[in-house]
Amino acid sequence: MENESIRLEIYNSFAKTGCSPSVEELAATLSLSESDVAEGLEALARDRHIVLNEKLEVVMAHPFSSVPLGFSVMGESTLWWGGCAWDSFALPHLLTEEKDLLVATTCPNCNVALSWNLNRQSEPNGNEVAHFLVPTAQMWDVVVHTCGNQRLFCSRACVDGWLSKNKLPMGYVMDLGTLWKLASKWYEGRLTRGYVRREPAAAKDYFRSVGLSGKFWGLD
């Protein structure tokens, strides 16, 4: 249960402040030794609940990030880093005390500023598209690189231009409505005790339910 308490404290800290707690802060808050916290963090990282750096600092607790990866998400009184397009669009659904959130980024190809006021009731309008460079099955192999390359572009033409300039292969492209649906319930429950990650079969069922083709999870 200690690991779940650590996980929950990390998520609650991110939700309330936009920041991750340190090992020392977790130990003090939860009345644990720093070595117990360190062991718990490493276990949570192995189970893919969080991402750590070499200093045992929490880099990500999806959909939260402690480092800038191309997105900012602003609420009434709190500013969060968005870990990627998927995570940034998920925050309005997870942070239910916020009426809406302003998600901001720039197009990687042309550097045009992009922003959306997102809520939980309706899909955003716009011709922008999301591009996921890393295939779903490989996302956790290089998780920070994965998140840094899930970006939003002005158009499909900007995706093509960016890939050509950087000599990168085409990934998966989706419109704003599909991204909003993908993000809407994916992180449901992460702010409550006892959260369990979806098994691969359940994840595939979820992807199908929001209209994503088999190519998204590597079947095509």
Side-chain angles (χ1 to χ4, degrees):
M1 293 300 292
E2 286 182 357
N3 290 354
E4 177 61 2
S5 295
I6 293 170
R7 186 198 70 80
L8 195 58
E9 184 61 29
I10 291 168
Y11 270 86
N12 285 334
S13 178
F14 265 122
K16 293 173 183 176
T17 70
C19 300
S20 61
S22 66
V23 170
E24 294 80 9
E25 289 168 335
L26 287 166
T29 301
L30 299 172
S31 299
L32 297 171
S33 69
E34 291 184 14
S35 61
D36 284 341
V37 170
E39 289 179 7
L41 289 173
E42 290 171 341
L44 290 169
R46 286 194 299 272
D47 290 339
R48 298 183 176 180
H49 288 292
I50 60 173
V51 179
L52 299 173
N53 64 17
E54 64 280 357
K55 297 179 181 179
L56 291 186
E57 296 167 333
V58 179
V59 177
M60 292 180 183
H62 295 292
F64 301 106
S65 174
S66 64
V67 295
L69 289 169
F71 292 86
S72 63
V73 182
M74 185 172 69
E76 185 174 346
S77 59
T78 307
L79 181 66
W80 294 269
W81 292 124
C84 59
W86 187 347
D87 289 352
S88 297
F89 269 50
L91 284 172
H93 297 281
L94 187 65
L95 300 170
T96 55
E97 294 183 0
E98 297 280 349
K99 181 179 179 181
D100 52 35
L101 293 175
L102 176 65
V103 174
T105 188
T106 56
C107 174
N109 183 61
C110 65
N111 293 319
V112 166
L114 305 173
S115 63
W116 303 266
N117 275 310
L118 298 183
N119 57 50
R120 291 173 290 282
Q121 288 72 47
S122 57
E123 300 174 17
N125 295 317
N127 296 320
E128 298 88 356
V129 296
H131 177 258
F132 288 32
L133 181 65
V134 180
T136 310
Q138 300 170 21
M139 286 180 177
W140 271 93
D141 297 339
V142 284
V143 63
V144 176
H145 172 76
T146 293
C147 290
N149 285 281
Q150 287 184 7
R151 300 297 302 273
L152 279 154
F153 292 78
C154 296
S155 64
R156 179 63 181 263
C158 269
V159 173
D160 292 339
W162 181 74
L163 293 173
S164 178
K165 284 189 293 188
N166 291 281
K167 296 180 173 58
L168 293 170
M170 175 63 70
Y172 193 95
V173 178
M174 68 183 75
D175 60 31
L176 293 182
T178 302
L179 177 64
W180 184 86
K181 290 174 184 174
L182 169 64
S184 62
K185 296 184 183 300
W186 180 252
Y187 294 114
E188 199 170 52
R190 294 218 172 181
L191 295 178
T192 57
R193 184 172 292 278
Y195 170 78
V196 178
R197 291 190 305 109
R198 286 184 180 86
E199 294 298 324
K204 291 176 184 178
D205 287 342
Y206 179 83
F207 297 150
R208 290 190 187 99
S209 75
V210 300
L212 290 166
S213 72
K215 182 180 177 182
F216 183 72
W217 60 85
L219 294 184
D220 296 346

